[in-house]
Amino acid sequence: MADDPVIKALNTAKETALHTVDVLDVQLNSLATSIRDHLSHSKWLPDEYRPASRAPPPRQIFAASTQKSGAGLLDVYRSTTSWVSRNKLLASALFAAVTIGTIHHHQSLLQLLPTALQPRFVKRNKRPKRRAARAPSGARTQVVLLSGHPHEPTTGLLALELGKRGFIVYIIVTSASDEAAVLTNLTSAQGDVRPLLVDPTDPSPQLARFADWLNTPQLAAGKTHTLALVGLVIIPALARYPVGPVEALTPDVWSDTVNVNVLQHIVVARSCLRLLALARGRIVVLQSTIVPSLAPPFCALETVVGRATQGWVEAFEREVRPLGVGVALVKVGNVDGVTGSGRGSGDTAGRADILTWPAAIRATYGRAFVSHISSSGSPSTTPPAHAGSSVKPASQKSLFNTVVEALLPPLYTNSPFTPIVRLVYTPRHPFVFRVGSGASIYGFIAGWFPRGLVSWGLGVGRFGSVDVKKLGGPAGLIRATGEDGSSGWENVEPVPSPPQ
């Protein structure tokens, strides 16, 4: 037993600790004596507060203590290296345990780095595909509400995916035609995706009946079970917004776009709030993040919707936090089949949009608009800085996994220390989730890079400025001339100004 390396290590550690304490005791006593002597000879201190001076210790003792303190640190180093040399196997095991524990603890932080910068030892968490809980009879028990236009690709794809994962999905619709579209295109034989027709001005009565249905026990396979509302997923349009200069966008276009993608979702969220508070559900809001972050030209509508969505969700989250309702904002970057489209289709659609503009607006913004959509690949999706890059879009599976992760309770990280962590720590969801390529980097670029540099990267000012001297008046033609002096699209005679 005396030759046991563990016992030797413990004895060495004990001796080292005692020796270190002795050295510190000597040093602290010396420091206290020096302070006392300094105060005893200070003239600014009153006599009643001045400590009595002590005789200095003999010179040989002070020298011995100084020599002993210097030798103590050297002895600690020598004893440590000697123990490591005698117990190389145990020292290697301790070093490996500390290193692996540190890497495992900081692995989530290292995964925030771009893939090219991640060390090779960082492994991505391969969590199982999360599904909805079921009753003992196998019946579906968890319900999810979707607030999104049924003709939007994201709404249909997400509804079908949630249905495959075992959720009962209700898509909130506001018209009979939208209800018919859900029944025709999304409702399957199992009935896992259903429409919920509500009044867009006041959906409270229909939601009250929906709450009564949730509280009614359900019968399946001879056994009863209860339903649970998991949360509400709000899906504004992530692409295909009307594009063009602000001059060309009519007030009706602005009103319809903002009503459908912002105001209608706010009405649904406030109407479902009490229902979600009773069920301890969550609200997940999707937001297109690339265009609202950069605010490229001719994308004012998508920029307004994206920034308005982030604004009301941030304020709403702080308001409902005391009610126990969790709110998550999913910032969606470039996702395959959700936020992108082909280069050729975007160019053709952009040129078709130009033909509907007035001649004056077409002559002013035409060349810059065509250049923008030709470099970005789509007039209503991504800006040129992103479309020209070689970054591949993320898969739809990553978007679905992120939404489900934001809906369901968070999981503990798989590790040997999980049973201990459960006793002292409860994981919480972050407020912001990011998915898709460019979901993080473009926000950083817009927030930290100089505004002029961002504008240059977006191609602003590539064709120069318009000569304001050639403006013919409020109703005249705004002529944008190129280098050859001709209009970028067509030559139209100026309209005479109205008489004064």
Side-chain angles (χ1 to χ4, degrees):
M1 295 296 292
D3 296 334
D4 190 357
V6 177
I7 296 178
K8 285 184 178 181
L10 294 176
N11 291 335
T12 304
K14 179 180 178 180
E15 294 176 359
T16 303
L18 293 176
H19 191 66
T20 303
V21 171
D22 292 339
V23 173
L24 290 176
D25 186 41
V26 172
Q27 296 296 331
L28 291 176
N29 288 335
S30 176
L31 179 63
T33 302
S34 300
I35 295 175
R36 187 184 300 110
D37 293 341
H38 177 74
L39 294 177
S40 63
H41 294 86
S42 299
K43 296 181 179 181
W44 56 270
L45 195 65
D47 295 338
E48 58 269 19
Y49 298 108
R50 188 179 302 171
S53 59
R54 292 186 179 183
R59 183 178 299 274
Q60 61 273 16
I61 297 178
F62 181 76
S65 62
T66 305
Q67 183 179 3
K68 184 178 180 181
S69 63
L73 297 178
L74 185 60
D75 291 342
V76 171
Y77 173 76
R78 288 177 177 175
S79 61
T80 303
T81 54
S82 177
W83 179 84
V84 171
S85 62
R86 293 195 308 268
N87 305 276
K88 294 181 179 180
L89 183 61
L90 182 59
S92 301
L94 291 175
F95 178 77
V98 172
T99 304
I100 294 174
T102 304
I103 292 174
H104 179 78
H105 179 71
H106 296 284
Q107 187 171 358
S108 58
L109 297 178
L110 292 175
Q111 288 183 353
L112 297 178
L113 297 174
T115 306
L117 300 179
Q118 291 182 3
R120 293 185 178 181
F121 54 78
V122 177
K123 297 181 179 179
R124 296 188 177 273
N125 294 328
K126 295 182 179 180
R127 292 184 176 181
K129 186 177 181 179
R130 304 196 68 178
R131 300 179 180 274
R134 291 181 178 264
S137 60
R140 301 170 184 259
T141 60
Q142 292 188 323
V143 183
V144 176
L145 290 174
L146 292 187
S147 176
H149 200 283
H151 296 287
E152 279 292 325
T154 310
T155 304
L157 293 173
L158 184 57
L160 294 176
E161 178 66 20
L162 292 176
K164 292 178 182 178
R165 299 196 182 204
F167 294 95
I168 302 175
V169 183
Y170 276 88
I171 301 179
I172 299 176
V173 295
T174 58
S175 64
S177 58
D178 291 343
E179 183 182 18
V182 173
L183 293 173
T184 303
N185 302 327
L186 300 177
T187 302
S188 60
Q190 292 80 11
D192 45 19
V193 179
R194 312 168 188 175
L196 179 61
L197 182 61
V198 300
D199 184 0
T201 59
D202 185 16
S204 300
Q206 293 85 355
L207 292 176
R209 291 195 297 269
F210 178 75
D212 295 337
W213 173 75
L214 285 176
N215 296 327
T216 303
Q218 307 292 321
L219 180 64
K223 298 181 180 180
T224 59
H225 64 275
T226 57
L227 300 177
L229 180 61
V230 176
L232 167 68
V233 181
I234 296 177
I235 312 172
L238 300 179
R240 300 174 180 85
Y241 282 85
V243 293
V246 176
E247 270 191 289
L249 300 176
T250 62
D252 292 338
V253 174
W254 282 95
S255 176
D256 294 342
T257 304
V258 173
N259 283 334
V260 171
N261 294 286
V262 180
L263 298 182
Q264 181 175 326
H265 297 311
I266 294 177
V267 172
V268 171
R270 63 185 295 271
S271 302
C272 297
L273 180 59
R274 300 295 174 180
L275 185 60
L276 291 168
L278 294 175
R280 293 291 176 176
R282 293 180 56 81
I283 299 177
V284 180
V285 183
L286 274 64
Q287 178 213 359
S288 175
T289 184
I290 296 180
V291 172
S293 297
L294 297 178
F298 311 114
C299 298
L301 268 175
E302 187 171 357
T303 303
V304 168
V305 171
R307 296 189 178 184
T309 299
Q310 181 174 351
W312 80 261
V313 170
E314 288 182 354
F316 187 67
E317 188 272 337
R318 294 185 175 97
E319 294 173 1
V320 304
R321 188 186 303 172
L323 303 178
V325 179
V327 179
L329 179 64
V330 179
K331 294 192 173 185
V332 183
N334 192 13
V335 179
D336 187 21
V338 174
T339 58
S341 61
R343 180 177 299 271
S345 60
D347 195 5
T348 304
R351 293 181 181 274
D353 290 339
I354 293 177
L355 298 178
T356 63
W357 297 354
I361 297 178
R362 191 162 65 243
T364 304
Y365 303 103
R367 294 185 62 191
F369 181 76
V370 170
S371 174
H372 173 75
I373 63 175
S374 298
S375 58
S376 65
S378 174
S380 59
T381 53
T382 56
H386 179 71
S389 65
S390 59
V391 180
K392 295 182 179 180
S395 63
Q396 297 178 5
K397 181 180 178 180
S398 61
L399 175 61
F400 301 150
N401 291 339
T402 303
V403 173
V404 175
E405 191 72 26
L407 271 177
L408 297 180
L411 295 176
Y412 287 89
T413 305
N414 295 327
S415 69
F417 306 102
T418 299
I420 301 176
V421 173
R422 288 178 181 271
L423 300 176
V424 297
Y425 171 73
T426 301
R428 296 181 180 179
H429 276 310
F431 170 65
V432 176
F433 291 79
R434 290 180 173 84
V435 60
S437 58
S440 301
I441 188 62
Y442 285 107
F444 174 79
I445 291 175
W448 293 93
F449 280 42
R451 189 173 184 274
L453 182 61
V454 177
S455 300
W456 175 81
L458 294 173
V460 177
R462 185 177 303 172
F463 293 96
S465 58
V466 178
D467 188 1
V468 296
K469 295 181 179 180
K470 295 184 179 181
L471 299 180
L477 172 66
I478 304 176
R479 183 187 299 270
T481 57
E483 296 179 357
D484 56 352
S486 61
S487 174
W489 284 89
E490 58 182 343
N491 294 319
V492 181
E493 293 298 328
V495 179
S497 301
Q500 301 295 332

